[in-house]
Amino acid sequence: MCFSCKQGNESSAISTKNYVNIVKNDAQNRIDIFVDSVYFTSYLYADSMLRKPVLFPLKTANGKRITRGFPFKPIVGERMDHPHHYGLWLNHGDVNGVDYWNSAVVPKNENARYGRINHVEFLKMKSGGVGELSVKKNWVNDKQEIVIEEVTTYRFKGDKNVRSITCNSTLKAVSKNVIFTDSKEGMFAIRVRTELEMPSERIDKRFGVEVDSLVNIKPTGFYKNSNGIQGYPEVWGKRAKWMQLVGVVDDDSVAVSILSHPKNPNHEPHWMARDYGLFAVNPLGSKTYTNGEEELNFSLKKDESITFCYRVLIENGVVSSVRDIETQFLKFAENQ
């Protein structure tokens, strides 16, 4: 184990080409990740607003933030809807009747049952050409029972134009059988900044902000998936092995791609890709996405486990073509 006990901020790291440095920051209850001395992201695990550990914020190789700031660091002019959408996370909307997706400091529905995901311990921290962070989490229901034990390993890589995160999450049913009832609200997700939203009068009316505050913040996002479907709402709920979101941030081309490993259940998965900046892959929502034509209701018996594996590619400058992403997907599929 290579463990950095250095107390870090966004400027402290080791400078070696393509070197990923994992920095433990006890003072702020986070783990900071750097690539070539440039801040990339942090694992947040103990903030009072958290109802699940997340990676926040996410930045490009040249330092452009791609995630929405709210609720941790609100940005003037951005929307403040869906307070449970922050950073990059994994959870689900219906686990044994308990909602982990919509769990927030202020409940969405007073009559609903909400759970939370608690950070338990760090299992591994390793800096190097590939940075590695392994953590244990518990999915706790509204009766304070541990329903699922999660072990997630994040692997971080980067170069002058690309950042990547490979996320392997193993979920184990520990106290009883578990059923993930089909829900549109899941599962591996990012909430992106305003510039990467879709241009849309619908969301301006639904999640409105002051008009003057949007003058210099222009939504430019556009989705395309591995099956050639493009735009919104065309991509919503459709099956695909990968999805790419492209846009412009501070006059720089930015692309965020999510790849779903073929060993994940219910492959090719559905996609919860929204115009207002929610970008998610959800293999466990078939009933909703197919208008009832399909139904999965994935289940685990007590002591059984399942692993979900995803890769996120964040690019700035030159954006990968469909052929390039397909090549990346094949490498991802072969090496996991």
Side-chain angles (χ1 to χ4, degrees), residues 12 19 26 42-43 58 73 95 114 169 211 272 298 318 322:
S12 59
Y19 188 90
D26 289 325
S42 294
Y43 174 76
L58 294 173
K73 295 183 178 180
V95 181
Y114 294 109
S169 294
V211 174
M272 177 63 152
F298 184 81
V318 178
V322 169

Side-chain angles (χ1 to χ4, degrees), residues 92 101 182-186 236 272 274 282 284-285 288-289:
H92 189 64
W101 178 270
D182 284 13
S183 170
K184 70 179 175 63
E185 296 180 312
W236 186 86
M272 177 63 152
R274 290 295 204 185
N282 183 6
L284 307 184
T288 298
Y289 298 129

Side-chain angles (χ1 to χ4, degrees), residues 95-150:
V95 181
N96 287 1
V98 175
D99 185 349
Y100 291 84
W101 178 270
N102 289 291
S103 184
V105 173
V106 179
K108 180 180 179 181
N109 181 348
E110 292 184 359
N111 298 318
R113 298 179 63 193
Y114 294 109
R116 62 184 299 161
I117 301 174
N118 295 328
H119 170 83
V120 178
E121 63 178 315
F122 297 107
L123 302 176
K124 183 178 181 180
M125 297 184 196
K126 181 181 178 182
S127 300
V130 177
E132 189 170 316
L133 174 65
S134 293
V135 297
K136 181 180 178 181
K137 313 172 192 178
N138 285 339
W139 295 41
V140 180
N141 66 16
D142 55 339
K143 297 179 180 179
Q144 303 306 307
E145 299 169 328
I146 299 172
V147 178
I148 294 172
E149 286 184 353
E150 173 187 341

Side-chain angles (χ1 to χ4, degrees), residues 71-90:
F72 301 111
K73 295 183 178 180
I75 308 299
V76 174
E78 72 179 6
R79 306 179 203 283
M80 293 186 287
D81 58 277
H82 296 80
H84 50 282
H85 291 174
Y86 40 82
L88 182 151
W89 73 94
L90 183 147

